[in-house]
Amino acid sequence: MYLRAVHAEADVAKLHQFIRANPLGIFTTAIESKSFPFLQSSHIPWVLDTDQTTSETHLGVLRGHIARANPQAKVLIEHLKSQTNSDTEQPVQTLSRDIMVLFNGPAHHYVTPKFYTETKPLSGKVVPTWNYSAVQVYGRATIFHDTKASSTGTFLDKQIRDLSLQSEKEIMGYEKPWQVDDAPASYIEILKKAIIGVQIEITDIGGKYKMSQEMGVGDQRGVVEGFKAMGSGVGDEMARTVEERGKTGVKA
């Protein structure tokens, strides 16, 4: 991700907050295979765990799952089964190379030069752009795919319960959320066999809000008013974010 200083967000706590507010991430892997494409991506909702018990910054751990029938899951399993631990001769469960997950903000939009009410009338030296927000993480992925291993069952049980509770309470706002135990246990066990677990130890994280911070105060106001004038939910969200980010990055 290109992190121009004026757009970059370096506060890890705020990046964690962004992920929790926008948990659907694009999980991307690059794995050589004779059967599947080298690059694979899947949209996965994630649970983010962070360690708040130490004074050191903890980048966090992501937990998710994908369908076993997904080609990306198949290439992951194929790759891991082809690797063995030299000490135990058992298949490894952690990928040797980094993976990437990209989280996008709730709104993005084209920015017309007509919004630049200060610079456009003065010089005309403005061009279109696109405003958006995103957080990108790199990390080491451990895959839970062996249905006979107790670790797989333990991971998936916790994962689906935590994800369901997170979504029901934080996204839907239910005081009495739907819970996994509301469904028949036999049904849940069948579904668990159809998914694999993914746990990512985050090794690097970066984020950006490209929200017109590089523009002058007058142009920023023009962008805010332009988005508000659209009269849509996306326009209102863009206006709010441009205004919010401009408070800390306004160019005189």
Side-chain angles (χ1 to χ4, degrees), residues 119-140:
T119 303
K120 184 178 180 294
L122 290 175
S123 68
K125 294 181 178 180
V126 289
V127 293
T129 190
W130 205 283
N131 278 2
Y132 63 94
S133 57
V135 168
Q136 182 173 283
V137 306
Y138 291 94
R140 300 293 300 277

Side-chain angles (χ1 to χ4, degrees), residues 48-200:
L48 173 65
D49 299 321
T50 55
D51 185 357
Q52 307 293 343
T53 62
T54 67
S55 59
E56 297 182 3
T57 300
H58 183 236
L59 297 184
V61 173
L62 291 170
R63 288 186 285 121
H65 64 270
I66 59 176
R68 190 174 290 271
N70 185 325
Q72 189 172 18
K74 291 181 179 180
V75 76
L76 286 168
I77 295 171
E78 174 190 85
H79 173 74
L80 290 171
K81 284 186 175 180
S82 71
Q83 311 295 308
T84 57
N85 185 306
S86 59
D87 294 327
T88 65
E89 296 301 320
Q90 296 295 315
V92 298
Q93 303 301 313
T94 302
L95 298 180
S96 59
R97 292 191 174 182
D98 284 352
I99 58 78
M100 185 184 79
V101 185
L102 177 65
F103 297 89
N104 289 307
H108 59 88
H109 208 281
Y110 170 79
V111 181
T112 171
K114 292 183 178 182
F115 284 178
Y116 300 137
T117 52
E118 183 177 68
T119 303
K120 184 178 180 294
L122 290 175
S123 68
K125 294 181 178 180
V126 289
V127 293
T129 190
W130 205 283
N131 278 2
Y132 63 94
S133 57
V135 168
Q136 182 173 283
V137 306
Y138 291 94
R140 300 293 300 277
T142 298
I143 311 300
F144 296 86
H145 64 88
D146 185 353
T147 56
K148 296 179 181 179
S150 60
S151 58
T152 298
T154 299
F155 178 88
L156 290 176
D157 188 64
K158 178 175 174 55
Q159 162 59 19
I160 61 176
R161 290 174 186 277
D162 289 351
L163 180 61
S164 296
L165 188 61
Q166 170 181 283
S167 302
E168 291 282 311
K169 296 185 71 173
E170 301 302 325
I171 296 177
M172 300 305 299
Y174 292 144
E175 292 184 7
K176 296 182 178 179
W178 178 91
Q179 299 182 57
V180 172
D181 290 335
D182 292 342
S186 57
Y187 174 68
I188 296 300
E189 287 304 310
I190 292 172
L191 293 183
K192 281 168 60 177
K193 288 182 171 58
I195 60 177
I196 67 170
V198 183
Q199 179 172 286
I200 299 169

